[in-house]
Amino acid sequence: MYLSQIRKWLLQSPPVEWGITQLRELLIGALRQGPIPQHVAFVMDGNRRFARNHRIETVEGHNLGFEALARILEVCYKSGVKVVTIYAFSIENFKRSKYEVDALMDMAKVKLSQLAQHGDLLDRYGASIRILGQRELVKPDVLEAIDKAVKLTSGNGKAILNVCFPYTSRDEITTAIRDTVADYSNPLPSLQRPFSESHIIHTIRARQLSTTTTTTQYQDGTRSPSGTTSDPEDSAASSITLHSEDPLPLPHEKHDPDHDHHNNTHTNDPNDADLLLQDTKPPPFGAVYPDPETITPDTLTSHMFTAGTPPLDLLVRTSGVERLSDFMLWQCHQDTDIVFLECLWPEFDLWSFLPVLVEWQWRRRKEGVGKKEQVRERGRKVKVR
């Protein structure tokens, strides 16, 4: 106990603090010389366990967790990370005790306001806050404070802090699919052109039906355009010649034998001809819908809460638990490094995060060397041929 107090006193002494600060700056500067992940996500797990281990209130454990978040955000933004996504509150967390849920909500309201203050962490590094999750589940007073923090940082464009609150990945994917279906249920905007295919087909069919009406009048003994009286047999022959080919169907019509027989039957009732002409009106423009076959993974990605951000490069979870807990399931891909650490979140700092970043850089360099070797090998094969 006395040794721990002496150690704490030494670490808090001004000379030691200055030395540690200089060492931190040196290490971060060294990290910036290599590749840096552009999008890092954290599952901030272990606050309650830390509180139990140190025999303090659970709420105090969450407070220490927010302090650890501030420390790690500074390391990320100073290193060159553009987007940080944190799992602040799961929808499943509403199943916890009302006391803890209310405490977490109040804490989020206070801490986010502090982070967004002018001259504070996010303002120094030009980071804006984005809230990802179901807003309708948040209390109005908390939502008002969150919106205020978002507005205060809306002018920052150098980096992003995604706060998943309240959030689950299944809910995000469901929302993305629902929005995609809604988009593909709306007709495309009509672009009527004078020489479009539908306009040409409509014109040809209207002329054919008009000719059909004229031929019917010839069969009744009316005078032909040349001034002579039509013979019934000639009229019948003329009718057969004119209808040797069926009228072109409209694109939206289905083939119906009864309907075709009705179109090829001549009638003496001019009202029937008028009805036929009415049926040839083109379909309303704008009734064309997007093709569902064009839906791709990129389509769903564009409807996710994280749309517009770089792909996820690194996901870190503390507390030794090796599962994602319904977090960033869609964003994790074949190039995402997932790291599980034994330390609890309030203990997480630069010295815990540094080995993770160094290992990530080493893997990226190794992959880069491997790709260069593959390119060289392909070049050699081409030369041999």
Side-chain angles (χ1 to χ4, degrees), residues 74-91:
E74 186 168 14
V75 172
C76 288
Y77 294 140
K78 192 174 288 186
S79 300
V81 177
K82 298 299 182 184
V83 180
V84 177
T85 302
I86 59 172
Y87 202 1
F89 193 88
S90 170
I91 294 177

Side-chain angles (χ1 to χ4, degrees), residues 297-333:
D298 291 337
T299 306
L300 293 180
T301 300
S302 65
H303 288 84
M304 294 290 165
F305 296 154
T306 56
T309 58
L312 183 61
D313 296 317
L314 179 62
L315 188 148
V316 179
R317 176 166 186 161
T318 56
S319 81
V321 178
E322 298 185 359
R323 62 173 182 266
L324 296 181
S325 296
D326 211 352
F327 177 61
M328 304 292 280
L329 300 182
W330 180 268
Q331 289 78 5
C332 290
H333 53 88

Side-chain angles (χ1 to χ4, degrees), residues 85-215:
T85 302
I86 59 172
Y87 202 1
F89 193 88
S90 170
I91 294 177
E92 300 297 324
N93 290 153
F94 283 108
K95 297 178 181 178
R96 296 181 181 181
S97 65
K98 186 178 184 302
Y99 170 76
E100 185 177 356
V101 171
D102 291 342
L104 287 171
M105 290 290 175
D106 293 338
M107 193 181 308
K109 180 170 61 174
V110 174
K111 298 298 182 180
L112 285 177
S113 300
Q114 290 177 355
L115 287 175
Q117 289 299 321
H118 178 70
D120 214 312
L121 177 65
L122 298 182
D123 191 60
R124 289 203 310 270
Y125 293 100
S128 60
I129 297 177
R130 295 182 183 177
I131 305 299
L132 314 182
Q134 295 298 332
R135 293 170 53 90
E136 63 272 12
L137 300 179
V138 182
K139 294 190 297 184
D141 60 325
V142 179
L143 193 60
E144 182 180 355
I146 289 174
D147 290 340
K148 183 179 179 181
V150 171
K151 186 177 180 180
L152 285 173
T153 61
S154 60
N156 300 335
K158 294 182 180 179
I160 296 173
L161 172 60
N162 289 326
V163 182
C164 297
F165 179 90
Y167 168 96
T168 61
S169 191
R170 287 176 297 174
D171 177 73
E172 179 187 21
I173 295 172
T174 303
T175 303
I177 294 174
R178 187 187 303 119
D179 293 344
T180 302
V181 171
D183 287 349
Y184 276 72
S185 298
N186 295 325
L188 294 172
S190 60
L191 296 175
Q192 184 176 2
R193 296 175 297 173
F195 298 104
S196 63
E197 181 181 355
S198 59
H199 181 75
I200 294 172
I201 293 175
H202 165 64
T203 303
I204 293 175
R205 185 168 182 185
R207 290 179 179 177
Q208 288 178 336
L209 290 175
S210 178
T211 306
T212 302
T213 306
T214 304
T215 305

Side-chain angles (χ1 to χ4, degrees), residues 219-385:
Q219 290 177 344
D220 291 340
T222 57
R223 297 189 62 84
S224 63
S226 60
T228 58
T229 304
S230 299
D231 184 81
E233 294 181 0
D234 293 337
S235 298
S238 176
S239 174
I240 295 173
T241 302
L242 286 172
H243 291 84
S244 59
E245 294 182 0
D246 292 333
L248 292 174
L250 290 175
H252 70 287
E253 289 183 344
K254 296 181 179 179
H255 179 73
D256 186 357
D258 295 335
H259 182 69
D260 292 344
H261 176 73
H262 175 71
N263 283 346
N264 290 329
T265 303
H266 305 297
T267 175
N268 294 329
D269 190 354
N271 293 329
D272 292 343
D274 293 340
L275 291 175
L276 290 174
L277 289 174
Q278 290 177 5
D279 291 340
T280 62
K281 291 182 180 179
F285 288 98
V288 179
Y289 291 86
D291 185 5
E293 296 295 330
T294 61
I295 297 176
T296 63
D298 291 337
T299 306
L300 293 180
T301 300
S302 65
H303 288 84
M304 294 290 165
F305 296 154
T306 56
T309 58
L312 183 61
D313 296 317
L314 179 62
L315 188 148
V316 179
R317 176 166 186 161
T318 56
S319 81
V321 178
E322 298 185 359
R323 62 173 182 266
L324 296 181
S325 296
D326 211 352
F327 177 61
M328 304 292 280
L329 300 182
W330 180 268
Q331 289 78 5
C332 290
H333 53 88
Q334 67 274 11
D335 295 326
T336 302
D337 285 1
I338 303 175
V339 181
F340 300 103
L341 301 177
E342 291 295 330
C343 68
L344 304 177
W345 179 254
E347 302 168 340
F348 190 59
D349 55 9
L350 172 64
W351 314 110
S352 304
F353 192 36
L354 183 63
V356 176
L357 289 177
V358 171
E359 184 178 1
W360 186 89
Q361 289 183 336
W362 178 78
R363 289 182 179 177
R364 289 299 175 271
R365 289 194 180 100
K366 186 178 179 181
E367 291 175 359
V369 171
K371 290 179 181 178
K372 289 181 181 179
E373 290 296 331
Q374 291 179 0
V375 172
R376 290 176 184 174
E377 188 65 25
R378 289 174 185 172
R380 290 171 187 169
K381 291 181 180 179
V382 171
K383 289 181 181 179
V384 170
R385 291 178 182 176

